[in-house]
Amino acid sequence: MAQMLDRPAPEGSRSVSWPWYHHVLTNELTPDARSMLEGYSGIPPDDVESHIYSVRDKAWGIFPWPCVGEFWFIRFGLALHPLYKTMVLPRLKAGSSLLDLGSCLGQDLRKCIFDGAPADQLYASDLFTEYEDLSYELWRDKDIFRPGHFIADDVLADNIRFTQGPLMTQIGPGQIDIIAITMFLHLFNWQNQLRAATRILRLLSHKPGSLVIGSQAGSVKAGELPLKPPFADATGSEKRTMYRHNPDSFNKLWMEAGRAVGVPLRVSAVFRAPDAFGKGVDSGFDISPKEKKYFTGAETRRLYFSVMRV
């Protein structure tokens, strides 16, 4: 099971006093997010903020992820990827399938639909079954993103459970053209990232050009970093870590995963600065002051990547 989730949420983790629990929306409610909630979900403009607060507090009660406290479920990380407009969206419009692994409330899939991708080839997966109903409460689109396309599963389960689990039985091995893993792998240590990567490659289509894509918190200096309270003992008596990548270490991880399952890969990973997106474009970097983020530090960067089967 995911390293943060190998036990119930630690005592105190649901406190709303943590700095990454943002009590008031500021620049998290971007024009894109408002456009989606008003134009796609049909939320009246005056009700948008209260709607977000209501959903956020329910999601916080399911599990107090820092990204939930920081309102990342109304940020569209996949759409910020350099390949989204040039490769991902055109492929989806042509009929390719996409699995959003670690989907949270399905925000990236709803953005794909809003941008013209057909919904029938889009799938979401996360550990919590409760996210399905809450995603419909957020997006109000059960008539568009139909039930059955959310698959609750644990990509880090033991081999028998994973092989017999919903992802491998409802979708099946080698069936997905594009797998999105935005803000996902950085939750785990190296060994669990490697395990997740091999499972992802088992789900990926056998066709050359099949793609794993996403972004995550990275670090100029790669390595295992201690998991911070409240997800680790504040006394430091337990050693729980997350591996933070730079481009070189990310390439090494996926090449090792490819060799393990016999899949030839081409890996690209880069840090992108906010100004690379153009003036006035939301880069997804600075949604809040650094002291109010869970992932922070002088060496923290956003890592954008693609892993293509060749």
Side-chain angles (χ1 to χ4, degrees):
M1 187 176 286
Q3 187 172 355
M4 283 187 178
L5 303 178
D6 57 6
R7 60 185 181 186
E11 183 178 355
S13 61
R14 287 191 172 88
S15 170
V16 298
S17 297
W18 293 107
W20 47 85
Y21 182 95
H22 299 177
H23 291 270
V24 178
L25 283 160
T26 53
N27 56 340
E28 300 97 341
L29 182 53
T30 65
D32 267 355
R34 181 172 284 280
S35 177
M36 282 284 296
L37 288 164
E38 293 178 11
Y40 178 80
S41 304
I43 309 296
D46 290 345
D47 295 342
V48 166
E49 292 193 16
S50 61
H51 181 67
I52 294 169
Y53 290 132
S54 174
V55 170
R56 191 275 298 275
D57 288 345
K58 291 175 183 178
W60 188 257
I62 294 170
F63 194 83
W65 293 116
C67 60
V68 169
E70 295 176 5
F71 297 106
W72 277 95
F73 58 88
I74 56 168
R75 309 288 290 211
F76 310 109
L78 179 59
L80 291 173
H81 197 284
L83 296 181
Y84 176 72
K85 291 182 179 179
T86 60
M87 184 177 293
V88 173
L89 195 57
R91 288 190 183 187
L92 295 180
K93 290 180 177 180
S96 290
S97 57
L98 184 146
L99 169 66
D100 184 7
L101 191 59
S103 59
C104 194
L105 301 186
Q107 61 273 12
D108 283 328
L109 295 184
R110 270 54 174 213
K111 175 64 171 169
C112 291
I113 296 169
F114 192 60
D115 288 343
D120 59 348
Q121 289 294 313
L122 304 181
Y123 298 88
S125 183
D126 212 300
L127 192 62
F128 297 105
T129 57
E130 300 95 327
Y131 280 168
E132 181 174 23
D133 286 343
L134 193 56
S135 73
Y136 287 130
E137 182 174 335
L138 175 62
W139 300 112
R140 298 184 177 180
D141 66 343
K142 192 173 284 190
D143 59 329
I144 299 172
F145 188 77
R146 297 190 178 278
H149 283 239
F150 178 91
I151 300 168
D153 205 350
D154 181 3
V155 76
L156 293 179
D158 64 59
N159 284 327
I160 293 176
R161 285 180 57 213
F162 178 73
T163 301
Q164 298 176 354
L167 283 171
M168 291 292 278
T169 58
Q170 294 180 32
I171 293 180
Q175 297 302 308
I176 297 292
D177 299 311
I178 304 169
I179 299 179
I181 51 170
T182 299
M183 305 296 280
F184 177 67
L185 282 183
H186 65 201
L187 298 173
F188 316 130
N189 61 23
W190 176 280
Q191 197 58 41
N192 280 337
Q193 288 188 29
L194 182 60
R195 188 174 199 175
T198 59
R199 268 73 183 283
I200 289 166
L201 292 177
R202 289 171 66 183
L203 293 164
L204 190 67
S205 170
H206 300 156
K207 295 180 294 187
S210 301
L211 188 66
V212 179
I213 192 169
S215 62
Q216 63 189 50
S219 177
V220 173
K221 184 179 179 180
E224 301 280 0
L225 295 180
L227 199 59
K228 297 189 293 187
F231 300 106
D233 185 352
T235 67
S237 61
E238 57 179 350
K239 305 298 182 184
R240 296 159 63 83
T241 62
M242 299 180 294
Y243 194 94
R244 299 275 288 280
H245 286 282
N246 61 24
D248 289 341
S249 68
F250 190 85
N251 186 296
K252 179 181 177 182
L253 176 86
W254 281 93
M255 296 307 288
E256 185 174 340
R259 287 191 296 270
V261 296
V263 176
L265 300 172
R266 182 169 68 244
V267 182
S268 172
V270 296
F271 291 138
R272 298 194 85 204
D275 58 8
F277 294 85
K279 185 177 181 181
V281 177
D282 170 31
S283 69
F285 278 76
D286 297 313
I287 91 167
S288 62
K290 287 184 170 55
E291 65 272 13
K292 292 190 174 184
K293 293 182 178 182
Y294 186 82
F295 291 112
T296 188
E299 295 186 337
T300 298
R301 301 288 187 274
R302 182 65 52 79
L303 185 72
Y304 286 81
F305 57 83
S306 63
V307 181
M308 184 176 290
R309 182 168 186 145
V310 295

